[in-house]
Amino acid sequence: MTALPMTVRATRQDTATPAPATRPADAHQVLERCRALVRPALAEAVGRLHPWIGEMAAYSFGWCEVGGAPAVASGGKGVRQALAVLGAEAAGAPGRSGVAAAVAVELVHTFSLLHDDIMDGDADRRRRPTVWKAYGTGPAVLAGDALFALAVETLAAQPGGAGAVRTLSGALGDLVRGQADDLLFAQRPWTGPGRVRPDEYRTMAEHKTGALLGCAAALGAVLGGAAPETVTALDRAGRHLGIAFQIVDDVLGIWGDPRVTGKPVHGDLRERKKTFPVLVALGSPSGGRLAALLESGEEPDAAALIEDAGGRSTALAEARRHIAAVETALAGVPLAARAAGELWSLLDFLVRRDV
């Protein structure tokens, strides 16, 4: 494991709000339990799609290869579906109460990835071709649209489905706003009055990453019969978690060990991404020099300058601040002890992740 995630975790223990004492030893077990609970319902939902679209969906989940042959590829960790199950359990309901929410959120998340890969021109995801590279751009757009429609259908069929669909729609609206801002950031200058500010980045990260994490936990709680204040707290916690997750991802994108992250060192700098550590450093007295290094492709020198300008340390401090905000959001609401412990285990996993 790299030094970065341990640094985040160590400082987290200094926050004023204590985390629950009961925590499972391994977050991977939590994720596996929730995936096993959700997988049959997710497969049943995908099975209702047009066969060709269903194959693309199955490919995106890592269930099959192009043509439909069974696959052994990783389909992702299932973090959002786990949050939905744990949201229901935190409200005192059985985990199966949150399965429909888990299915809907997983479908929306996958829909967003299909479209994001097209917009960003990404050719690979999880070490194999993205859906648009494997099947074509038009088919990938169509598959994404079908997954979104299926998510709405899944929630609408539940008791109280209208309110759940409104919650999902609100999160999707934020996700789209975040994606729009992220695309526009690429067009803005490195320096000067038009540069991207760290507070703008925080808002983008909350919308693009945090909205769906918060929605997952909140929807599970809604279907589990939670009180409105619990639903609101879980949504707020998920949004802060999303910001922390994104900022840690940004740090790993520059300084992460390729053997651990699966990405090349300085990869985000090579792609000229305006990530949080970069934006902090661009606002320092070294901003002009850093912009010149980024434009000239001097990634090692740029990484060193970002660190010297405080980009790395400030990013880690910002991630810790949002982790503390997660604890504050959840401190005032009653949560079932086991589910609360598993939620904290999942939080630690996301900010200490080694993949």
Side-chain angles (χ1 to χ4, degrees):
M1 184 177 292
T2 61
L4 162 66
M6 294 301 294
T7 302
V8 174
R9 180 173 183 252
T11 309
R12 177 180 175 276
Q13 296 172 349
D14 298 332
T15 56
T17 306
T22 303
R23 299 191 184 201
D26 188 358
H28 291 277
Q29 295 176 359
V30 178
L31 291 167
E32 179 56 36
R33 177 179 72 84
C34 293
R35 282 196 301 265
L37 185 62
V38 174
R39 171 68 183 268
L42 184 59
E44 188 277 330
V46 170
R48 299 199 302 270
L49 295 169
H50 182 285
W52 184 43
I53 295 174
E55 180 190 314
M56 286 186 278
Y59 176 87
S60 67
F61 288 125
W63 301 346
C64 76
E65 304 293 354
V66 175
V72 294
S74 169
K77 305 177 194 69
V79 168
R80 290 156 190 82
Q81 55 188 281
L83 285 172
V85 170
L86 293 175
E89 293 178 343
R96 64 179 178 273
S97 300
V99 166
V103 169
V105 171
E106 191 68 14
L107 291 170
V108 166
H109 174 56
T110 305
F111 141 74
S112 72
L113 294 181
L114 264 61
H115 286 196
D116 283 358
D117 287 340
I118 294 169
M119 287 183 282
D120 296 341
D122 289 337
D124 297 289
R125 179 175 291 278
R126 301 178 188 129
R127 298 178 174 86
R128 65 179 189 160
T130 50
V131 175
W132 74 271
K133 288 296 287 185
Y135 290 88
T137 302
V141 171
L142 184 62
D145 293 345
L147 291 176
F148 172 61
L150 184 59
V152 173
E153 175 190 325
T154 298
L155 277 185
Q158 301 302 306
V165 169
R166 283 195 297 271
T167 299
L168 181 66
S169 297
L172 181 60
D174 280 346
L175 189 155
V176 170
R177 280 189 285 272
Q179 179 66 23
D181 284 338
D182 196 26
L183 289 173
L184 289 171
F185 286 173
Q187 303 174 22
R188 291 169 61 177
W190 293 109
T191 59
R195 73 178 180 87
V196 180
R197 311 283 174 166
D199 61 329
E200 294 179 279
Y201 186 90
R202 280 189 290 268
T203 300
M204 181 278 294
E206 178 188 339
H207 288 160
K208 184 178 178 181
T209 305
L212 205 53
L213 290 173
C215 177
L219 275 180
V222 166
L223 297 185
E229 56 268 24
T230 299
V231 174
T232 299
L234 286 167
D235 179 72
R236 188 180 307 116
R239 286 171 178 266
H240 283 293
L241 174 58
I243 298 172
F245 177 91
Q246 185 60 61
I247 291 174
V248 169
D249 198 58
D250 290 346
V251 175
L252 290 171
I254 299 175
W255 295 285
D257 184 342
R259 295 170 298 178
V260 175
T261 66
K263 301 176 182 179
V265 67
H266 304 149
D268 282 359
L269 299 181
R270 196 168 296 112
E271 295 177 19
R272 308 293 190 271
K273 291 185 178 179
K274 293 185 175 73
T275 58
F276 194 85
V278 172
L279 297 178
V280 169
L282 286 169
S284 75
S286 304
R289 183 179 165 214
L290 174 60
L293 288 173
L294 291 169
E295 288 298 334
S296 65
E298 299 292 333
E299 289 88 10
D301 290 341
L305 183 56
I306 292 167
E307 186 154 16
D308 290 343
R312 183 174 185 172
S313 60
T314 301
L316 291 176
E318 184 70 13
R320 291 192 292 268
R321 186 173 75 82
H322 287 283
I323 293 166
V326 172
E327 297 182 348
T328 300
L330 297 181
V333 294
L335 301 175
R338 177 179 172 180
E342 293 189 339
L343 278 169
W344 287 116
S345 177
L346 204 55
L347 165 66
D348 284 343
F349 171 75
L350 288 173
V351 297
R352 296 190 296 112
R353 63 193 187 280
D354 53 3
V355 293

